[in-house]
Amino acid sequence: RDYVIRFDLRGLLVEPQARVFAELQENYKGQPGLSFENAAIGRNNGSQELYTINKKLDFLSYANQAASFNSAHLRKMLEKHLRHGAAPDVVKRIKELGLNIDDCIEAETVETYTFDSLLDKHGVRRFDLLQIDTEGFDYEVIKMANLRKFRPTLINYEHEHLSERDQLDCWREFRTLG
């Protein structure tokens, strides 16, 4: 965000969760050159279930950006967070309410676009930076990004949620592209 503001960068920002999308728009309010899309990048144009933190659990709202197409992945992330990162009052509240991990997760249907159709929709013909944070779907987005055609200068993504196989395949792809 700091670089976007400081250098007046142009770009397309994509966020599937309605509440987080509104926050994203607010964070960049008045910043010229930005387009926003309230959707997810997916394998097909259409819609898909996105698993998110249950919006009724306001004491977990700080984790509102955690979302995944894979419910097991989100469940694993939330379990790890509650064991090692959550504030004691959050853990206490979950116990007091008798909630299990599945009670903290809900499905939300989100619109999806393929990478190419999203770029076409917004008239993007080239990009220099690809920033990905899709909680375990990052390598799939990288594969869809047509890197041979676009050759971005910088790709920033989360590898920590990828399987070891996907991490290695991703690095092999980058090496192949030079």
Side-chain angles (χ1 to χ4, degrees), residues 66-177:
S68 178
F69 286 140
N70 182 334
S71 63
H73 176 76
L74 184 59
R75 187 178 301 113
K76 182 178 165 184
M77 282 178 44
L78 189 53
E79 285 173 345
K80 181 179 177 183
H81 172 68
L82 292 173
R83 276 195 315 270
H84 301 294
D89 60 315
V90 169
V91 175
K92 180 181 175 188
R93 187 81 190 273
I94 286 175
K95 288 179 183 177
E96 287 173 352
L97 294 172
L99 301 174
N100 62 42
I101 295 295
D102 289 331
D103 296 328
C104 300
I105 296 172
E106 65 183 1
E108 173 182 339
T109 302
V110 298
E111 191 171 3
T112 59
Y113 289 97
T114 64
F115 198 91
D116 287 338
S117 64
L118 191 58
L119 295 183
D120 287 345
K121 179 179 180 184
H122 289 272
V124 176
R125 301 290 169 248
R126 64 179 285 276
F127 57 90
D128 296 312
L129 167 64
L130 178 59
Q131 167 66 44
I132 308 168
D133 183 358
T134 57
E135 305 301 337
F137 198 66
D138 300 60
Y139 182 45
E140 296 304 312
V141 173
I142 288 167
K143 289 189 289 188
M144 289 185 262
N146 198 355
L147 298 178
R148 291 187 195 293
K149 174 183 175 184
F150 291 106
R151 308 289 297 186
T153 304
L154 181 62
I155 300 170
N156 188 35
Y157 69 102
E158 279 189 322
H159 68 276
E160 72 177 288
H161 300 302
L162 299 180
S163 69
E164 187 174 323
R165 173 68 182 209
D166 281 352
Q167 287 180 33
L168 291 172
D169 287 348
C170 189
W171 276 106
R172 282 188 195 107
E173 173 116 6
F174 290 152
R175 278 198 302 266
T176 300
L177 293 168

